[in-house]
Amino acid sequence: MLRTHYSQDVDTKDYGSTVTVAGWIEDIRNLGGIAFLILRDRTGKIQVTVIKKETPELFKELVSLSRETVVSITGLCQENTQVMNNWEILPQQAHILSLAESPLPLGVIDKVGADFDTTLDNRFIDLRKKENQSIFAIRDAFLTATHHFLHSQGFLEIHTPKITTTSPEGGTEVFSLQYFDRKAYLVQSPQLYKQIMMATGFDRVYEIAWYFRAEEHDTSRHLNESTAIDLEMAFIDNEEDIMKMAEDLTQYIMIYLTTQRKSDMDILATSPEIPQTPFTRITYDEALDLIQKKTDMTWGDDFGTLEERLIGETLQETFYFITQYPLETKPFYSMPNGKYARSFDLSYQGVEIASGAQRIHQHDLLQKRMAHMAMDIDNFSEYLKAFRYGMPPHGGFGLGIERFLMELLQVGNIRKCILFPRDRTRLTP
Ligand code: ATP
Ligand code: MG
């Protein structure tokens, strides 16, 4: 194995000894008699200092290399308090592992920014930038924190089918596909399966889920393929139990990220505060009252982007729940409470990041709601069957991972928080 991650693991004991390091040549500064190569890997950078009169052949070879070429370099590790890391490498030997073509389709350290589409078209290079590496280091820690927290609460991680015959989320469109001689769909969420799981005795489950949504709108906060933390828990009293889980999870994630990923947060120039629990809860009616004068929406409409922002600005809270939505704005499986649903959205800086609810667990009521919403009950027979032989009261939520990260890191576009975004026009790379 070639040695990488050297900016972290070289220490004073390596001074004076010969080491071999490998990485991408980020930059070459040739001053004539001396040249500096900046070598980069995931953990940082080091300086390779090559002196012409000491190693003329090597000097010629190294200064002629193109940026982003992958090399391994063997040389003396020497203390030098003038350079980053307090040491440099004086090379004796170099191997070119992969020569980069030039010009690059996208610069890694160029000051002039490329347009957004060019960065996404060349995502493998774009992801070499340190800000982008930090986003995905934070995303990784976000998931680690989620696994820690949910396991501490007795949840079991599950994986449910992504190819299905029914589509639960009324409002959004589905992608259809040919499944041998039948028509099938990509799931919009694991909703139906995680509810079926409540009939199995696995009373607390979660999934790092894929959502496939054929929404036509092309916004800075929607993807057509996105991921979410989706959980479901049984034997709840009502939706309050679910909100408590959502806010405790959020707080845990924020504590974990700000302690474990502080340096990445610094690179992205963000220092979020740890939210206090319980988060503020306002009902749909109260939220509508707050913004009444600034919107034309009427009772029974769902909040749009604009309304969500207005509510956020008026409330002046980082995280808050909006509860008790009008029943008709929520999917058929939401538990009714008079003309309201036992549902909630969690907002982060005026943007919805999660939706959840207590679900209907009574077979008859579920059928009634589906009939009321003019749904084809036959299509859902497999789902409904799970409610006929012992289904405990339950509820859950789905929290969008990219949405959360986009708000946390203030990156302005959700596409930056997923490796290879899929949107209305983009299906590659
Ligand atoms: P929105 O109204 O913001 O479009 P939604 O209410 O349709 O979202 P839900 O079905 O409630 O979405 O999904 C739960 C969470 O999953 C959302 O709160 C959001 O964080 C995330 N999410 C949903 N759809 C998308 C999408 N198209 N792109 C990115 N994240 C999404
Ligand atoms: Mg929602």
Side-chain angles (χ1 to χ4, degrees):
M1 268 299 283
L2 287 169
R3 186 173 182 183
T4 54
H5 301 184
Y6 31 73
S7 69
Q8 278 178 359
D9 67 20
V10 164
D11 61 30
T12 49
K13 72 174 175 355
D14 291 300
Y15 294 170
S17 60
T18 299
V19 299
T20 299
V21 295
W24 283 259
I25 296 178
E26 184 171 279
D27 201 11
I28 301 169
R29 264 168 275 153
N30 182 1
L31 305 184
I34 188 168
F36 305 106
L37 270 70
I38 305 301
L39 208 61
R40 182 194 72 238
D41 76 2
R42 174 152 77 91
T43 60
K45 299 172 194 187
I46 60 166
Q47 179 173 300
V48 176
T49 305
V50 49
I51 299 163
K52 193 174 186 174
K53 70 171 190 297
E54 284 179 13
T55 48
E57 285 306 309
L58 191 59
F59 183 91
K60 211 169 118 199
E61 185 186 7
L62 288 179
V63 297
S64 69
L65 291 176
S66 47
R67 272 189 185 178
E68 298 302 308
T69 287
V70 181
V71 291
S72 84
I73 287 182
T74 302
L76 182 70
C77 177
Q78 172 174 277
E79 183 172 20
N80 181 349
T81 51
Q82 306 293 306
V83 306
M84 60 188 161
N85 314 317
N86 290 326
W87 53 268
E88 63 192 334
I89 298 220
L90 304 178
Q92 290 139 6
Q93 227 182 20
H95 287 289
I96 295 158
L97 303 175
S98 170
L99 190 65
E101 285 179 31
S102 139
L104 296 166
L106 178 73
V108 177
I109 51 167
D110 297 352
K111 291 282 176 282
V112 257
D115 69 73
F116 194 42
D117 272 325
T118 307
T119 63
L120 294 181
D121 287 342
N122 299 284
R123 191 65 163 151
F124 67 96
I125 297 187
D126 188 41
L127 289 168
R128 293 179 190 176
K129 294 176 185 160
K130 69 176 189 322
E131 309 77 49
N132 289 334
Q133 300 237 326
S134 288
I135 293 175
F136 289 93
I138 291 168
R139 185 181 162 117
D140 167 74
F142 174 95
L143 291 172
T144 304
T146 300
H147 293 303
H148 282 179
F149 178 78
L150 292 178
H151 282 137
S152 80
Q153 300 298 308
F155 282 82
L156 191 80
E157 184 179 6
I158 59 164
H159 300 93
T160 59
K162 302 298 158 229
I163 304 175
T164 183
T165 55
T166 45
S167 66
E169 312 293 338
T172 57
E173 296 297 319
V174 286
F175 290 111
S176 55
L177 60 98
Q178 198 62 35
Y179 190 78
F180 304 109
D181 54 354
R182 279 184 288 173
K183 195 165 177 187
Y185 304 100
L186 291 178
V187 294
Q188 296 158 312
S189 81
Q191 182 63 34
L192 302 188
Y193 286 100
K194 60 181 191 156
Q195 282 195 265
I196 293 172
M197 288 302 293
M198 295 298 95
T200 64
F202 289 115
D203 52 16
R204 287 184 171 206
V205 298
Y206 77 101
E207 178 164 357
I208 306 299
W210 286 100
Y211 287 5
F212 299 99
R213 298 188 176 192
E215 297 161 322
E216 294 255 355
H217 47 91
D218 202 354
T219 75
S220 60
R221 59 195 201 121
H222 287 97
L223 295 161
N224 292 100
E225 181 184 63
S226 63
T227 60
I229 298 164
D230 230 304
L231 69 74
E232 203 70 18
M233 51 197 271
F235 301 107
I236 58 168
D237 289 332
N238 52 47
E239 71 280 21
E240 182 55 35
D241 290 331
I242 313 288
M243 286 193 276
K244 175 114 185 43
M245 195 58 75
E247 66 194 358
D248 288 348
L249 170 66
T250 303
Q251 188 189 50
Y252 184 89
I253 289 172
M254 295 297 278
I255 293 170
Y256 189 88
L257 293 183
T258 46
T259 52
Q260 303 295 313
R261 286 290 184 272
K262 170 128 187 17
S263 56
D264 290 301
M265 295 279 188
D266 290 345
I267 286 171
L268 294 163
T270 173
S271 50
E273 275 177 25
I274 307 298
Q276 295 300 310
T277 55
F279 297 169
T280 296
R281 289 143 166 74
I282 61 163
T283 64
Y284 169 93
D285 288 358
E286 288 165 344
L288 188 58
D289 259 4
L290 276 184
I291 57 165
Q292 195 62 265
K293 292 200 182 71
K294 299 177 194 155
T295 165
D296 335 316
M297 74 171 262
T298 53
W299 195 91
D301 296 340
D302 201 357
F303 298 122
T305 312
L306 174 75
E307 287 80 19
E308 284 177 16
R309 284 257 145 74
L310 284 173
I311 297 166
E313 280 162 25
T314 317
L315 267 185
Q316 294 278 312
E317 298 272 354
T318 313
F319 289 98
Y320 55 89
F321 289 109
I322 303 178
T323 65
Q324 299 292 331
Y325 278 75
L327 191 54
E328 306 306 317
T329 64
K330 289 290 170 186
F332 70 91
Y333 48 76
S334 313
M335 179 68 94
N337 181 17
K339 61 176 183 168
Y340 299 98
R342 292 197 170 277
S343 65
F344 62 86
D345 279 2
L346 173 58
S347 289
Y348 183 8
Q349 290 156 177
V351 173
E352 176 194 322
I353 57 161
S355 283
Q358 178 174 359
R359 327 292 189 187
I360 297 172
H361 62 279
Q362 306 90 333
H363 181 258
D364 291 354
L365 180 56
L366 196 51
Q367 268 201 332
K368 229 168 85 189
R369 287 295 304 152
M370 292 171 85
H372 175 77
M373 294 176 94
M375 294 171 62
D376 183 354
I377 289 180
D378 290 344
N379 265 341
F380 289 83
S381 55
E382 292 301 322
Y383 167 72
L384 283 165
K385 200 162 140 193
F387 291 77
R388 287 165 41 201
Y389 305 97
M391 173 64 94
H394 63 271
F397 64 82
L399 183 152
I401 295 171
E402 294 82 19
R403 275 279 173 89
F404 189 110
L405 291 172
M406 160 189 177
E407 284 309 308
L408 171 74
L409 306 174
Q410 292 292 296
V411 289
N413 195 312
I414 195 165
R415 291 163 182 76
K416 292 188 180 172
C417 300
I418 193 158
L419 289 174
F420 300 101
R422 294 286 175 260
D423 64 23
R424 181 71 189 81
T425 52
R426 181 173 291 280
L427 196 52
T428 55

